[in-house]
Amino acid sequence: MNADFRSQLSQLLSSGQFDAEWYMRRYPDVLQTGMGPAEHYLWLGKRIGRRGKPSNPGDELIDLGVFKPRAQEAGSGKAQRADAGVAHAAPTAEAMIDRLADWPGLDKAYVCYQLGIEPQKSARRVAELYYNEIRNRNILPNALFDPEYYSYYNDLNFGDDEIYHYITVGAGKKFHTHSLFDLEWYLSKYPEAKNSADLLVDYWNRGYRERLLPIDPEKVPVLDSIRAVFFSNVFDCDSHFDVATYRQFNKDLANMPDAELAAHFEKVGRAENRIGSLTTLLRDAGLPGHCIPVDFDPKQYVSLHVDLEKEFSDNPWLAIPHFVRSGFKEKRRYSFHQIGSVRPILLESQYHDVAPLVGKKPFCVLVHLYYPDMWDELRAYIANIDVDFDLYVNFVESTWLGAVMAQVREDFPKAKIKISPNEGRDIGGFFSLLKGVNFADYVAFTLLHSKKSPHVTRDYAAMWKKSLLGAILGDSETVRQNLTAFLTDPEIGIVGSVQTRHLGLESNAAGMRKLFQIYGISPEHEECEYVSGTMMMVRSEVMEAVYLPLAHHQFVNGDNKGIEHHIDGQVEHSVERIFGNVMRQLGYRFLWR
């Protein structure tokens, strides 16, 4: 400990601004470091927003237990799942590896491609590698089995192993496995397959070999070139040239006759590393042909990503190598159909039956308005709330407009308006509004913010925003359905759009580890699941539990920061993700719509 640090420590202890006993009780993880409380506070605690003493006499330790839902009655969905958990203990790692290794649906080449390694011959070895990476939920064991989709669509418990569940339960019950495997379409072509023990394996053994698409092309457009490569064995294909592909990739040669195109490739194109065929591209990347998404559309792929839009807008076909070599592994969106593929949620609006039992206002609506010009759009969604609510609107010091503020007051005279620094993006804006709010007054909070997302394309941003807002405030019926769900199902903690459901940490792993300590998240609840875009409905108990531990945190001011600062890696991006962890820690779950 150097002299400067000792001096700071002495000043802190004599200042009256640090309560060592409170700090140790408030942040019990300090004990694990072996450091004294004041030493820890100066070294780390202060930098991550921890307080050195209670902010008021009533500010005691945050006990997440006080936010937990009431005990579940026997026969409830949660109780039934708990009983099922007792009857069916979680499988061991060895059991899951054995099942996957023995499953005929395991695509060894596809798994190795996603892992970025050379193909492995041993199914057992591939299964081991798969489970080394499965916590990231980025690895698909089969081109038509998406673990994330399977878990959501079939309403599994979060944390269940999807593949093991499918092999032991889901296959027999004909569960859906992927947005691109239409079971009804397949069974309409092969009615006898209804007796199959595993429709997915049945498709690969029969439907695929007979060149049947896994989806109805009348419902989902499939490009001819993608269809052709989907049914190709790229590793056994000797052809390095396809005239149609070569013409599409090389617009400067579009007017050449077919024979001249072939000659051009042999004499010039090959040496210039021009792509002569999709099969060659896939083979060189190690991606089996049947693993290209059949609904892939290069124009839509480019229009969904701003970095590609700038480079490939003149010829979107040139973006296909980007998708094959990196975009696929990065889980980039590649078609509008992919974004719109969701499981229908059927809810009934019976708010009038349960409203007398509420005893509090249904909603507290928080709006962070960094872009004032977007007020009209958000106002239209807020107008769909036809139950009682309070409205809080946050403007930003560097962007607010007096005319828009006046419009807010005219539209909602009782709205509470605040102007704050541009700190913490939308999360900082929400936290600023929450100061002084009585959480117990409301059933749930509705979080809204003006979203332009300069790091994605205009098309993508529009669909993203429409998905986020439509799921929670799309119309008055949707609003009442969501409110009724909160009132009648004590398990629901957050309602959000499944199209924006995200499971990745990206560059926020370090930040999340810090938050796990601050919030006391247990290891079984550390897996990431959140609403990407942070527009959602949050039960009041969950909102309070997320807010209080960071109520006094000083977020970074975003003015004059580059776009990299706003995309990822800041504390607010970790807080966006921690909603799901806190919610599950309290015993709640998501309602994805």
Side-chain angles (χ1 to χ4, degrees):
M1 185 184 299
N2 60 37
D4 184 52
F5 190 85
R6 281 196 298 269
S7 175
Q8 293 179 42
L9 188 62
S10 177
Q11 291 176 21
L12 176 67
L13 292 173
S14 62
S15 67
Q17 298 301 309
F18 185 77
D19 185 331
E21 181 180 355
W22 180 88
Y23 188 79
M24 291 291 283
R25 290 188 294 110
R26 176 65 181 83
Y27 307 110
D29 60 287
V30 175
L31 291 170
Q32 301 173 10
T33 68
M35 303 174 71
E39 184 181 0
H40 181 277
Y41 175 74
L42 287 177
W43 173 70
L44 178 63
K46 188 176 181 180
R47 286 187 291 163
I48 62 176
R50 292 187 173 183
R51 286 170 284 156
K53 68 173 187 175
S55 58
N56 58 68
D59 184 13
E60 298 299 331
L61 299 181
I62 304 301
D63 179 8
L64 292 185
V66 304
F67 302 109
K68 289 189 176 181
R70 63 179 182 269
Q72 304 296 309
E73 297 178 0
S76 71
K78 190 170 186 177
Q80 290 173 357
R81 285 198 290 271
D83 292 342
V86 173
H88 305 284
T92 64
E94 286 296 308
M96 292 190 294
I97 291 172
D98 288 341
R99 287 282 189 173
L100 180 56
D102 292 338
W103 183 47
L106 175 63
D107 191 330
K108 300 192 296 292
Y110 187 41
V111 172
C112 291
Y113 160 79
Q114 294 170 87
L115 293 172
I117 62 174
E118 292 295 321
Q120 305 286 312
K121 294 182 178 180
S122 167
R124 172 77 186 188
R125 177 57 180 157
V126 172
E128 291 173 344
L129 292 169
Y130 174 83
Y131 277 110
N132 283 340
E133 298 289 337
I134 192 57
R135 284 187 62 83
N136 291 326
R137 299 215 177 183
N138 286 331
I139 308 299
L140 278 61
N142 182 295
L144 295 180
F145 188 98
D146 183 339
E148 182 180 344
Y149 177 89
Y150 180 77
S151 175
Y152 155 72
Y153 199 99
N154 301 296
D155 198 24
L156 270 62
N157 285 332
F158 189 80
D160 282 351
D161 182 74
E162 297 87 356
I163 276 290
Y164 187 85
H165 185 279
Y166 176 73
I167 295 172
T168 57
V169 177
K173 293 186 176 182
K174 307 296 187 285
F175 278 6
H176 289 260
T177 62
H178 197 288
S179 63
L180 294 179
F181 184 34
D182 186 335
L183 298 184
E184 290 72 23
W185 160 255
Y186 183 62
L187 288 172
S188 72
K189 299 299 181 182
Y190 296 102
E192 66 278 14
K194 66 181 180 181
N195 298 318
S196 171
D198 189 330
L199 282 179
L200 188 53
V201 173
D202 190 275
Y203 171 76
W204 289 118
N205 289 337
R206 179 171 23 183
Y208 177 77
R209 294 177 186 275
E210 296 179 11
R211 301 181 69 83
L212 175 75
L213 288 169
I215 53 175
D216 184 350
E218 295 295 324
K219 296 180 180 178
V220 181
V222 178
L223 299 176
D224 290 340
S225 54
I226 300 299
R227 180 199 296 260
V229 77
F230 180 75
F231 290 111
S232 298
N233 185 341
V234 301
F235 299 112
D236 291 339
C237 182
D238 294 330
S239 174
H240 296 279
F241 180 81
D242 173 72
V243 67
T245 299
Y246 197 61
R247 178 173 279 112
Q248 286 173 319
F249 273 103
N250 301 282
K251 295 297 185 183
D252 57 322
L253 310 176
N255 296 323
M256 278 190 181
D258 291 357
E260 291 184 21
L261 281 176
H264 182 278
F265 176 71
E266 291 299 330
K267 294 179 180 178
V268 180
R270 193 193 300 271
E272 294 178 345
N273 292 319
R274 298 200 187 205
I275 296 171
S277 72
L278 286 180
T279 53
T280 302
L281 172 65
L282 294 173
R283 184 184 63 226
D284 292 347
L287 179 65
H290 60 267
C291 295
I292 194 78
V294 292
D295 62 336
F296 180 83
D297 186 314
K299 291 182 180 179
Q300 294 178 14
Y301 179 58
V302 169
S303 73
L304 290 171
H305 302 285
V306 69
D307 57 325
L308 305 182
E309 192 176 45
K310 295 177 180 177
E311 185 174 357
F312 301 114
S313 58
D314 291 339
N315 186 3
W317 280 86
L318 293 176
I320 294 181
H322 179 278
F323 177 75
V324 170
R325 293 163 182 161
S326 59
F328 192 98
K329 296 176 185 177
E330 294 170 2
K331 303 287 283 186
R332 291 207 186 201
R333 303 285 192 179
Y334 56 80
S335 78
F336 298 157
H337 166 261
Q338 181 193 27
I339 295 175
S341 179
V342 300
R343 173 173 64 94
I345 298 289
L346 301 177
L347 294 176
E348 293 184 3
S349 171
Q350 300 174 338
Y351 174 66
H352 58 279
D353 294 333
V354 297
L357 305 178
V358 178
K360 56 179 71 175
K361 284 192 178 183
F363 292 117
C364 179
V365 180
L366 307 180
V367 180
H368 175 62
L369 209 58
Y370 179 81
Y371 298 104
D373 59 297
M374 293 188 63
W375 168 247
D376 286 344
E377 182 177 7
L378 291 178
R379 174 182 56 188
Y381 281 100
I382 297 171
N384 291 330
I385 306 176
D386 61 353
V387 297
D388 198 11
F389 70 96
D390 285 336
L391 176 65
Y392 290 73
V393 180
N394 182 69
F395 286 89
V396 175
E397 288 178 351
S398 54
T399 66
W400 74 281
L401 297 175
V404 177
M405 184 179 293
Q407 186 64 54
V408 172
R409 293 193 184 280
E410 180 180 338
D411 295 333
F412 298 96
K414 294 183 179 180
K416 299 173 178 63
I417 297 177
K418 183 173 185 177
I419 303 176
S420 68
N422 182 27
E423 296 173 348
R425 303 174 71 248
D426 48 286
I427 292 295
F430 294 145
F431 275 39
S432 177
L433 291 173
L434 287 169
K435 294 177 180 178
V437 170
N438 186 358
F439 293 88
D441 287 344
Y442 307 100
V443 173
F445 284 74
T446 300
L447 308 185
L448 309 174
H449 62 96
S450 55
K451 189 172 188 61
K452 289 192 176 180
S453 303
H455 58 287
V456 299
T457 67
R458 185 174 301 176
D459 286 342
Y460 197 174
M463 286 188 292
W464 191 2
K465 184 169 53 180
K466 184 177 180 180
S467 298
L468 284 163
L469 291 166
I472 55 175
L473 300 177
D475 51 42
S476 59
E477 177 66 15
T478 298
V479 174
R480 285 175 173 258
Q481 288 176 357
N482 292 336
L483 177 57
T484 302
F486 277 118
L487 295 173
T488 59
D489 188 343
E491 292 183 39
I492 294 173
I494 297 176
V495 177
S497 167
V498 69
Q499 296 172 352
T500 67
R501 179 177 184 257
H502 199 66
L503 305 174
L505 290 176
E506 282 73 44
S507 59
N508 301 285
M512 288 296 286
R513 284 194 294 270
K514 292 179 182 178
L515 292 187
F516 290 157
Q517 292 183 350
I518 292 172
Y519 286 93
I521 303 299
S522 55
E524 65 268 25
H525 296 130
E526 289 182 356
E527 196 165 358
C528 186
E529 181 187 30
Y530 70 101
V531 178
S532 178
T534 328
M535 286 198 261
M536 55 192 169
M537 289 181 173
V538 184
R539 188 180 289 274
S540 291
E541 290 82 356
V542 177
M543 190 71 250
E544 186 176 15
V546 171
Y547 169 70
L548 287 179
L550 292 179
H552 301 280
H553 177 75
Q554 185 70 45
F555 291 98
V556 174
N557 192 299
D559 287 338
N560 302 315
K561 294 287 195 303
I563 190 172
E564 295 79 10
H565 171 85
H566 298 284
I567 292 177
D568 216 1
Q570 306 302 315
V571 173
E572 50 266 31
H573 294 103
S574 296
V575 176
E576 176 187 29
R577 288 159 172 78
I578 205 69
F579 273 86
N581 303 99
V582 170
M583 180 197 67
R584 289 199 306 274
Q585 183 81 18
L586 300 180
Y588 296 105
R589 63 179 175 85
F590 278 103
L591 171 60
W592 292 109
R593 302 204 64 188

